[in-house]
Amino acid sequence: MTTMTEASVREFKMPDVGEGLTEAEILKWYVKAGDTVTDGQVVCEVETAKAAVELPIPYDGVVRELRFPEGTTVDVGTAIIAVDVAGPETPAEAPEGLAVSEAPEKKPEGRQPVLVGYGVAASSTKRRPRKGPEVPVQQASVAIQTELNGHGPAAASPAAPAPASPATTVQSRPLAKPPVRKLAKDLGVDLTTVIPSGPDGIITREDVHAAAAPAEAPAPEPVVTQAPVTAAAAPTASYDAARETRVPVKGVRKATAAAMVGSAFTAPHVTEFVTVDVTRTLKLVEELKQDKDLQGLRVNPLLLIAKALLVAIRRNPDINASWDEANQEIVLKHYVNLGIAAATPRGLIVPNIKDAHTKTLPQLAESLGELVATAKEGRTSPAAMQGGTVTITNVGVFGVDTGTPILPPGEAAILAVGAIKLQPWVHKGKVKPRQVTTLALSFDHRLVDGELGSKVLADVAAILEQPKKLITWA
């Protein structure tokens, strides 16, 4: 009876709604215990590190339990709702075959066909296993690293004697990128003793520094162990709720912080500036607003700036590339996925227009309008924020002249556009009031030399000063 009851309950697990995501926050439940649900019905809305997504249930039944309240961050692969499944399959099964038939039903935890990207691979993991107080430090480190690499706990192999398991694990090659290996070598850190915190058991620079810190401290081990406890307690004691507010870092803000830190300390940034007269571009914008082919579409200076950048990339294609650290290669992209940085209530996101280089001006205007509207509504999908090659950030809407933008990870260039202001400008030998803006181009100096970056920025400026170059250069 108990077995059959358990067999009629199915658990819906937090899916991987985007490639490589490891957790999501439950924003809102649309159902409660006792509600009837049908296949494809949306049961909740979750916020990942990239976007807010609605999750449909992949079967019919009655909600038995909501495992987590709203506002809880849940790991991918964790059951979030239990549903009593109504169907003839459970009573029809013979008692002898019940255990056999149930085993394959509960066992698979792979991706389901109902949801895109549902489930996680069995070998992947996000959380770092906890170390038991009774396990020696070296043995715990080895066991944790083995499990994170997808090989399971060391004790799972009964054929090998107990002392042989850590020895075997130590001989396996730790997962780390070449720069991290060099850092470990410089600091004298043995990577086999480092506990990884990166995805799929990859050792990061922070892990190496953390492993090197105790070795550099001359104090005995008990003192090192107590020091963090005292340091952690200090901020708590001095925290004044009436004068300070502490906001948990999660969702889009957490992802943005990790991406910006990773980019700023990985890619050597160079930023160049140019101030340009865009009076003719603004006149062209007003003329295009009256064009029947652009009626109902979003026509603004950003549209022509985007088109100018696409033309500049066509003239200087090497700017549209990325750096492959693992393989020590420069990847030249023969397509342009144009990213547009957007400020949303949930934080900064950078959705991109796929194959923007193939679009006509009306098509580009339509794509820009849809991108901005979707971002403001908080409905940008994770797929829309993946695969960007070059980005534009329009800081001018906030009234500032320009900035030094940080590259989105995996991109070689980002163009910042400042506010357009009426300024005195020498035009045809006379000082006249003209519409002027400042552009800033940040690029990855590993693969973009000063000459290439300067050519791209100069081309964009030339087009905005003389928009007819959109025709002659295109």
Side-chain angles (χ1 to χ4, degrees), residues 281-282 284-285 288 300-309 361 463-464 467 470:
T281 291
L282 295 187
L284 178 58
V285 167
L288 291 174
N300 55 20
L302 180 60
L303 172 62
L304 293 186
I305 293 170
K307 193 65 177 177
L309 180 57
L361 196 63
I463 293 172
L464 295 180
L470 285 173

Side-chain angles (χ1 to χ4, degrees), residues 96-179:
E96 299 93 9
L98 186 59
V100 178
S101 61
E102 272 184 47
E105 184 175 318
K106 294 182 77 175
K107 183 177 181 181
E109 296 182 0
R111 304 184 185 273
Q112 300 292 330
V114 179
L115 290 174
V116 177
Y118 178 76
V120 292
S123 62
S124 64
T125 181
K126 170 194 167 287
R127 289 186 173 177
R128 295 164 64 181
R130 302 173 185 168
K131 293 192 294 181
E134 302 172 358
V135 182
V137 177
Q138 282 189 345
Q139 191 174 0
S141 301
V142 171
I144 291 171
Q145 182 162 345
T146 308
E147 188 168 350
L148 282 171
N149 288 344
H151 303 303
S157 176
S165 180
T168 304
T169 308
V170 171
Q171 293 173 359
S172 64
R173 182 177 175 84
L175 298 179
K177 295 182 178 179

Side-chain angles (χ1 to χ4, degrees), residues 277 280 283 425-432 434 465-466:
D277 177 4
R280 290 186 178 92
K283 290 181 179 179
W425 192 264
V426 177
H427 178 68
K428 295 182 179 180
K430 295 182 180 180
V431 178
K432 296 182 179 180
R434 305 286 288 180
E465 188 170 6
Q466 298 282 352

Side-chain angles (χ1 to χ4, degrees), residues 405-428:
I406 297 177
L407 292 165
E411 298 184 19
I414 177 172
L415 178 70
V417 182
I420 300 176
K421 300 177 180 179
L422 194 64
Q423 297 181 18
W425 192 264
V426 177
H427 178 68
K428 295 182 179 180

Side-chain angles (χ1 to χ4, degrees), residues 52-122:
V53 182
E54 292 182 335
L55 300 182
I57 198 83
Y59 32 75
D60 301 335
V62 178
V63 177
R64 169 185 269 197
E65 179 187 7
L66 304 181
R67 296 289 172 85
F68 298 95
E70 295 176 355
T72 305
T73 299
V74 183
D75 292 337
V76 168
T78 303
I80 60 174
I81 181 174
V83 177
D84 286 322
V85 180
E89 49 198 355
T90 302
E93 300 195 22
E96 299 93 9
L98 186 59
V100 178
S101 61
E102 272 184 47
E105 184 175 318
K106 294 182 77 175
K107 183 177 181 181
E109 296 182 0
R111 304 184 185 273
Q112 300 292 330
V114 179
L115 290 174
V116 177
Y118 178 76
V120 292

